[in-house]
């Protein structure tokens, strides 16, 4: 039902569905819930304790305290990536994610579905990455930031502010450059709406105008609602 390499470590608190592939020297410990048909590459670590100073680190890998990790279905986690247990809540990854090698997902992060994180991208604690966002190679995200749905973060960018839906950001610190038209088209926005959104992001780099436009655009208003809700 699941293909687990003999060298992998799967702790007694780990539960999983069917069709999962667990690669050589992967480590899954603590309260990890794994769905169906996930592909876990070699050297991946899921469920290690949150990296919090003063945390009572375990003396046995049979029981690792923390908020746990929940991973959905059909995700690909490539070599050496790390997903840590929650500290205040559960660290979550949705469905159909593509998490490339050496990616770091810290405690209490919440990733939506169809998220792509390129090699070496890193999320500090409590970050929210919403559906279909794409983080380029080596991108860094400050703790407690919210990356909206359909956002593209450029290679090597450092995100220190929340990023509204369907924006393209780049730089250190990152700034809005334009819209992510590719994802805007994928969610079904018309060519006219895509043009208006791109113009809004280009004319007002704070993103305020674009967010107001999205909130009044059929097929995109829910993205704004979810982004605002995640920001608290």
């Amino acid at each position: 039902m699941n293909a687990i390499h003999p060298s992998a470590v799967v702790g007694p608190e780990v539960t999983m569905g069917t069709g999962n592939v667990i690669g050589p020297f992967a480590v899954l410990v603590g309260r990890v819930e794994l769905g169906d048909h996930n592909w876990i590459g070699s050297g991946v670590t899921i469920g290690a304790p949150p990296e919090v100073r003063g945390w009572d680190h375990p003396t046995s890998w049979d029981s690792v305290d923390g908020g746990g990790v929940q991973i959905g279905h059909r995700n690909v986690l490539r070599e050496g990536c790390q997903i840590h247990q929650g500290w205040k809540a559960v660290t979550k990854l949705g469905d159909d994610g593509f998490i490339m090698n050496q990616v770091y997902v810290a405690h209490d992060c919440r990733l939506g579905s169809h998220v792509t994180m390129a090699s070496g991208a890193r999320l500090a604690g409590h970050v929210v990455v919403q559906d279909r966002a794409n983080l380029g190679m080596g991108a860094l995200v400050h703790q407690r930031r919210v990356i909206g749905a359909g956002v593209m973060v450029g290679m090597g960018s450092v995100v220190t502010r929340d990023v509204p839906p369907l924006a393209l950001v780049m730089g250190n610190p990152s700034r809005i450059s334009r819209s992510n038209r590719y994802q805007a088209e994928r969610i079904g926005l018309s060519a006219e709406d895509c043009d208006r959104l791109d113009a809004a992001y280009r004319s007002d780099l704070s993103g305020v105008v674009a967010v107001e436009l999205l909130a009044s655009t059929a097929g995109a208003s829910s993205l704004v609602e979810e982004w605002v809700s995640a920001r608290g």
Side-chain angles (χ1 to χ4, degrees), residues 142-161:
H142 191 277
Q143 63 185 16
R144 300 186 187 278
R145 297 305 87 195
V146 179
I147 308 296
V151 163
M152 176 68 203
V153 178
M155 180 186 298
S157 297
V158 179
V159 179
T160 58
R161 299 180 180 180

Side-chain angles (χ1 to χ4, degrees), residues 5-151:
H5 193 275
S7 65
V9 175
V10 179
E13 298 176 287
V14 175
T15 62
M16 65 180 73
T18 62
N20 296 290
V21 177
I22 313 295
F25 303 105
V27 177
L28 284 71
V29 292
R31 292 193 297 110
V32 174
E33 300 176 23
L34 193 64
D36 302 328
H37 302 290
N38 296 286
W39 193 94
I40 311 298
S42 62
V44 170
T45 300
I46 303 172
E51 288 186 321
V52 175
R53 182 177 287 277
W55 184 266
D56 188 15
H57 283 65
T59 57
S60 169
W61 289 103
D62 288 340
S63 180
V64 179
D65 291 336
V69 178
Q70 293 178 357
I71 296 176
H73 310 298
R74 300 176 301 278
N75 295 285
V76 172
L77 281 65
R78 293 300 302 267
E79 297 78 17
C81 74
Q82 302 177 46
I83 301 178
H84 283 176
Q85 284 203 50
W87 174 32
K88 300 293 187 180
V90 180
T91 304
K92 296 183 178 181
L93 174 60
D95 302 328
D96 301 294
F98 192 67
I99 311 302
M100 299 186 200
N101 71 86
Q102 312 303 321
V103 164
Y104 172 62
V105 178
H107 60 82
D108 300 272
C109 287
R110 290 181 287 142
L111 281 64
S113 295
H114 301 278
V115 168
T116 299
M117 293 183 64
S119 305
R122 285 162 169 76
L123 306 179
H126 307 279
V127 168
V128 176
V129 181
Q130 297 186 316
D131 293 352
R132 297 190 182 278
N134 188 324
L135 279 65
M137 182 181 292
L140 307 176
V141 183
H142 191 277
Q143 63 185 16
R144 300 186 187 278
R145 297 305 87 195
V146 179
I147 308 296
V151 163

Side-chain angles (χ1 to χ4, degrees), residues 158-227:
V158 179
V159 179
T160 58
R161 299 180 180 180
D162 295 344
V163 183
L166 300 174
L168 188 153
V169 299
M170 59 181 67
N172 179 10
S174 64
R175 294 288 186 269
I176 294 173
S177 174
R178 56 186 184 274
S179 71
N180 185 3
R181 189 180 185 109
Y182 172 74
Q183 288 294 351
E185 292 174 345
R186 287 198 69 182
I187 69 168
L189 295 190
S190 67
E192 180 180 0
D193 284 338
C194 288
D195 289 341
R196 293 168 60 209
L197 178 62
D198 195 58
Y201 271 130
R202 289 175 185 271
S203 65
D204 175 22
L205 301 185
S206 72
V208 172
V209 173
V211 168
E212 292 175 349
L213 176 61
L214 284 170
S216 62
T217 301
S221 60
S222 62
L223 303 185
V224 175
E225 293 172 0
E226 292 165 3
W227 181 69

